[in-house]
């Protein structure tokens, strides 16, 4: 998710929404924009005699004993294949990824049946999903195979006082064996088969799975990440998705050198990717090679049905890099993608807007073979937008975002929203980084805000615009679901629905995130349980339509 920039106009006025032109600069047929547990571990260690175990040895043994969350479903008849699947999983060492990649390729066949269908509004998995004619309605499986502190604080909390701020520093501190055990415990519990079943039952049709480059191995000495371990979980996630008729957008979420300097790229701090240095250029080319490796792994039987859309790279900070250099990289990356898949084959390719704004991409790479543009829409990383009244925040997606998506669809081509949430404050613990405060209560002012004249300790919260609600400007209160009044819950519902409606002016949307440990405003599951996200997204309340905007939410009757 974007953590310091948001593509949005600061204008706050209603605009009439109209359907964009049916012309498409990427020559895609039929693309008309629409209204749109840690699992049981075997603790039985038979010790012969007196054995003195060092801490590292304990960690290695723990890693060896962790069961995959799908192991308990294996029948005795499948024990042979199961043994083959996992027997060469490298535990306790930073092994070269070749064996792991070969293993993934051997097992990358995904069974797909014509009877598998996630809901009545989505075609069976063995039939094409008509992107642009029917909306993506999905969620992100964030914080799973790429760690993010605000999503799972418990993964980081024991180590913060030792300087841990991201996956890089966590892996470096723990060392190969302990880091592998720590991450496998998390992977095995954060997402399970039940996750996919619940998403299917809520009417969703897609999931987006972020993956770091380190999953594919071939790491340098100064890259202490745990390699290849997450590939097992990615493959199993794809199989679970297929079981429930869900389609998957796999995306490279972290690049060598960090494409944005934010913790969810793997390493917070400086950008060492396409930054004009020799190292940056090397990392750009390494990223393409990792992308090609990942694409090759997604070429197995059935993969074309379960993974029909592919994110080339999440959130490169193009707004801080040289545009000519990044444009060249995008063109090369997409050409290399099609060299792997073949023309007219393989998944859709998705480029991120780099926080330049959708209008900056009009006419870019015309007549490409199934290419889409991704934008991540949040109010809360913009000091002006976070200060808007609730009424204006509810209208903003209809007034501004829907129009920009329609225009992008007409002048670039298919456009989707890869991330958004119900949050209208940035109070979630560590959302802006470990040890960083919030704009909402004035404990954090970004460099961009300072340049725009925002003073020290100047809180974005404006209680006068919301009836002087007691505790309204307290992040402590904002992070407590029990504090939410019926009126606030209604606002959250309205804001979520208008976003969904607006984003379906393009290809659709992925909500960030499916769940978090501590903040309900970023959790789809919590939103459903608390009532501001519908239990069936295909039959949801009107959003923009209720505000007299001519948007027809898709759902009932679209079968």
């Amino acid at each position: 998710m974007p953590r310091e920039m948001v593509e949005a106009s600061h204008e706050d006025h209603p605009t009439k929404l109209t359907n964009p032109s049916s012309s498409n600069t990427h020559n895609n047929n039929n693309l008309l924009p629409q209204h749109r547990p840690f699992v049981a571990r075997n603790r039985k260690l038979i010790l012969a005699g007196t054995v003195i175990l060092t801490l590292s040895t304990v960690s290695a043994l723990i890693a060896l004993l962790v069961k995959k969350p799908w192991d308990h479903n294996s029948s005795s008849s499948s024990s042979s294949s199961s043994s083959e699947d996992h027997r060469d999983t490298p535990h306790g060492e930073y092994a070269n990824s070749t064996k792991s990649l070969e293993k993934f390729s051997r097992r990358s066949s995904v069974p797909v049946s014509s009877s598998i269908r996630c809901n009545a509004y989505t075609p069976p998995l063995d039939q094409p999903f008509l992107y642009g004619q029917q909306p993506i309605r999905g969620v992100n499986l964030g914080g799973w195979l790429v760690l993010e502190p605000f999503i799972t604080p418990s993964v980081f909390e024991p180590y913060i006082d030792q300087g841990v701020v991201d996956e890089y520093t966590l892996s470096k501190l723990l060392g190969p064996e302990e880091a592998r055990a720590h991450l496998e415990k998390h992977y095995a519990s954060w997402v399970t088969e039940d996750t996919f079943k619940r998403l299917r039952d809520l009417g969703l049709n897609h999931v987006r799975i972020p993956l770091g480059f380190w999953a594919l191995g071939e790491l340098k000495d100064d890259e202490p990440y745990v390699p290849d371990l997450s590939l097992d979980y990615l493959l199993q996630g794809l199989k679970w998705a297929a079981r429930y008729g869900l389609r998957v957008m796999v995306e490279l979420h972290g690049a060598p050198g960090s494409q944005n300097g934010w913790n969810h790229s793997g390493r917070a701090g400086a950008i060492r990717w396409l930054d004009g240095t020799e190292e940056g250029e090397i990392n750009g080319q390494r990223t393409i090679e990792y992308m090609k490796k990942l694409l090759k792994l997604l070429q197995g039987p059935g993969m074309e049905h379960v993974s029909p859309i592919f994110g080339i790279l999440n959130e490169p900070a193009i707004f801080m890099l040289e545009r000519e250099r990044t444009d060249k990289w995008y063109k090369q990356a997409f050409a290399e993608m099609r060299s792997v898949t073949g023309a007219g084959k393989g998944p859709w390719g998705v480029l991120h807007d780099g926080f330049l704004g959708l209008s900056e991409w009009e006419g870019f790479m015309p007549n490409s073979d199934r290419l889409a543009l991704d934008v991540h829409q949040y109010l809360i990383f913009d000091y002006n937008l976070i200060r808007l009244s609730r009424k204006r925040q509810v209208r903003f997606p209809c007034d501004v975002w829907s129009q920009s998506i329609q225009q992008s669809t007409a002048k670039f081509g298919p456009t989707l929203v890869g991330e958004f949430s119900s949050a209208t404050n940035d109070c979630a613990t560590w959302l802006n980084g470990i040890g960083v405060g919030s704009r909402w209560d004035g404990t954090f002012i970004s460099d961009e805000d300072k340049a725009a004249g925002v003073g020290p300790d100047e809180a974005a919260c404006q209680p006068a615009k919301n009836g002087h609600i007691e505790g309204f400007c307290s992040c402590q209160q904002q992070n407590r679901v029990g504090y939410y009044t019926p009126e606030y819950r209604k606002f959250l519902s309205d804001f979520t629905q208008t976003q969904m409606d607006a984003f379906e002016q393009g290809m659709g949307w992925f909500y960030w995130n499916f769940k978090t440990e501590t903040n309900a405003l970023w959790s789809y599951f919590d939103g459903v349980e608390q009532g501001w996200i519908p239990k069936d997204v295909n039959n949801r309340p009107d959003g923009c339509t209720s505000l007299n905007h001519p948007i027809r939410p898709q759902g009932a009757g679209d079968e």
Side-chain angles (χ1 to χ4, degrees), residues 3 135 230-231 251 301-302 328 356-357 395 409 428 431 467-468 508:
R3 314 315 182 223
S230 56
L231 288 181
E251 180 160 70
K328 180 180 178 181
L356 296 180
R395 295 188 64 93
T409 301
L431 177 63
H468 297 283

Side-chain angles (χ1 to χ4, degrees), residues 427-429 438 440-441 471-481 483-484 519:
C427 285
T429 302
S438 304
W440 185 254
D441 61 6
F472 184 76
C473 291
S474 164
C475 273
Q476 184 177 4
Q477 293 288 64
Q478 288 292 335
N479 288 336
R480 291 176 55 242
V481 175
Y483 169 77
Y484 299 171
N519 195 285

Side-chain angles (χ1 to χ4, degrees), residues 146-167:
V146 176
L147 300 182
E148 191 157 349
F150 102 92
I151 296 176
T152 56
S154 68
V155 175
F156 293 86
E157 281 172 343
Y159 313 104
I160 291 175
D161 61 355
Q162 299 178 70
V164 167
V165 295
D166 51 27
E167 190 159 346

Side-chain angles (χ1 to χ4, degrees), residues 18 23 61 124 149 193 211 270 285 290 338 431 439 492 529:
T18 57
S23 64
L61 286 171
E193 179 175 352
L211 192 76
Q285 293 305 307
Y290 281 117
R338 289 295 172 234
L431 177 63
R439 297 169 184 82
L492 292 174
E529 292 173 2

